[in-house]
Amino acid sequence: MSVPVSLSSAEVTADGPITRSRPALSPSRAADFKQCPLKYRLRAIDRIPEPPTRAAVRGTVVHAVLEDLFGLPAAERHPERAATLVPGAWDRVRAERDGIDELVAESGPEALFDEVRRLVTSYYELEDPRRFEPHSLEERVEVDLDGAVPLRGFVDRIDVAPNGLLRVVDYKTGRSPGPVHEARALFQLKFYALMILRTRGIVPAQLRLIYLADKTLLTYAPDRDELDRFERILTALWRAIIDAGRTGDFPPTRNSMCRFCDFKPLCPEFGGTPPPYPGWPQQHSEPAELGSPGALPPEDV
């Protein structure tokens, strides 16, 4: 079915429409849609910029330090050497992102450096990076389920043991989730496991979330049947996104996370008005057909 979509005036230039990248499912965007369809739309389709936060920038710098750490010979990956990597990681993040200087304008970057070093020090209480070599770092993984459901994500680290068993690792700079929020963490792990299965043809032996703020490990061992079921869940979720993409109906959902949302001024739940719907990005195709409609499994989404 072909549905015409409109372009806002901001997307049209003298040379024609501005190309927008095709939406895809990542763990973050899937979580956005489940939490609030309007939030998903404003992030994934409208691409409205959000101001950086100190916590997000700190997390990015920590990830950069750990990536640089594994670029060193194993014998040099000691805590003192890791601490020296912080300024260089900050410079790289600062060069790639606008607006982060304002986050440290009052106290200077040294206070942020200290926060990053404390988190990196916590890492050494959970793993010793001198004892193994990662298979890959910050690997971009993309796959289309059945040619119709695009999955996309960056995996912080993949380890492969001598016997071929594979482990997927993701670093978190916040605290570990309580029982109420653990399902969201497991959703992310299942997402990565499914992408590894579909791209490499193997089920990861272990998936690990490393929470640096409270020095906690969350591990998960997936199985093939569970991942096959999870694929059906993601297909249903993508179908719901496609349906919303055709109609432009991305309703706001008030929830406990609203207090952290940068889009409140545009949200009808808080007296705002969203911008005109720009339509589904067109450079690839109209939203794909996925078969007959189906409801999202309530226990998982």
Side-chain angles (χ1 to χ4, degrees):
M1 179 175 66
S2 176
V3 177
V5 295
S6 61
L7 293 171
S8 68
S9 59
E11 295 179 286
V12 180
T13 69
D15 298 321
I18 295 174
T19 298
R20 290 178 291 135
S21 61
R22 179 183 64 158
L25 270 185
S26 67
S28 296
R29 295 295 78 78
D32 286 344
F33 189 82
K34 293 192 297 176
Q35 181 189 113
C36 175
L38 179 61
K39 182 178 183 179
Y40 171 89
R41 186 207 122 176
L42 296 176
R43 274 185 169 165
I45 300 177
D46 296 68
R47 301 294 178 92
I48 295 177
E50 297 172 76
T53 66
R54 187 182 182 92
V57 170
R58 180 176 60 235
T60 302
V61 176
V62 169
H63 278 72
V65 169
L66 293 177
E67 183 179 7
D68 291 346
L69 181 68
F70 281 106
L72 299 173
E76 296 182 24
R77 298 175 196 156
H78 49 79
E80 295 77 16
R81 183 72 172 92
T84 68
L85 300 175
V86 175
W90 160 257
D91 287 340
R92 192 163 72 253
V93 172
R94 183 169 170 260
E96 294 171 353
R97 299 194 177 189
D98 295 328
I100 67 174
D101 284 338
E102 289 81 354
L103 298 175
V104 297
E106 185 173 340
S107 58
E110 284 300 328
L112 181 68
F113 291 179
D114 289 341
E115 296 169 17
V116 171
R117 290 188 180 106
R118 283 195 293 270
L119 290 169
V120 173
T121 298
S122 296
Y123 168 70
Y124 280 86
E125 298 186 34
L126 301 170
E127 289 187 330
D128 186 347
R130 293 164 290 191
R131 299 183 62 180
F132 62 92
E133 289 293 337
H135 174 71
S136 64
L137 300 168
E138 296 296 333
E139 180 172 326
R140 182 185 176 101
V141 184
E142 294 187 81
V143 62
D144 280 6
L145 303 179
D146 294 327
V149 184
L151 305 187
R152 181 185 305 149
F154 283 89
V155 181
D156 288 344
R157 198 180 84 216
I158 296 175
D159 302 330
V160 178
N163 61 2
L165 294 180
L166 186 146
R167 177 174 65 188
V168 177
V169 179
D170 193 73
Y171 309 115
K172 300 294 184 184
T173 51
R175 295 185 174 277
S176 57
V180 174
H181 300 289
E182 191 171 283
R184 180 170 179 173
L186 291 177
F187 180 92
Q188 179 180 0
L189 289 177
K190 292 177 186 178
F191 197 105
Y192 289 147
L194 178 60
M195 288 199 296
I196 293 296
L197 172 61
R198 296 300 178 235
T199 56
R200 297 181 180 233
I202 58 175
V203 176
Q206 185 185 83
L207 297 105
R208 172 179 289 181
L209 286 174
I210 300 179
Y211 290 93
L212 300 176
D214 56 358
K215 306 171 189 176
T216 300
L217 296 177
L218 176 63
T219 59
Y220 165 66
D223 63 67
R224 181 68 177 257
D225 290 342
E226 184 177 16
L227 295 182
D228 287 341
R229 178 175 178 269
F230 189 65
E231 180 171 345
R232 294 192 294 271
I233 291 170
L234 292 186
T235 299
L237 180 62
W238 186 244
R239 180 184 295 120
I241 292 173
I242 291 300
D243 289 344
R246 289 196 179 101
T247 64
D249 184 19
F250 292 86
T253 302
R254 187 185 284 262
N255 58 73
S256 62
M257 300 301 292
C258 290
R259 65 184 185 274
F260 304 114
C261 184
D262 291 319
F263 300 122
K264 286 171 68 173
L266 301 175
C267 180
E269 289 290 315
F270 296 91
T273 302
Y277 179 53
W280 194 263
Q282 291 288 290
Q283 81 279 15
H284 286 273
S285 64
E286 296 286 345
E289 292 287 353
L290 289 175
S292 60
L296 301 180
E299 71 274 17
D300 290 290
V301 300

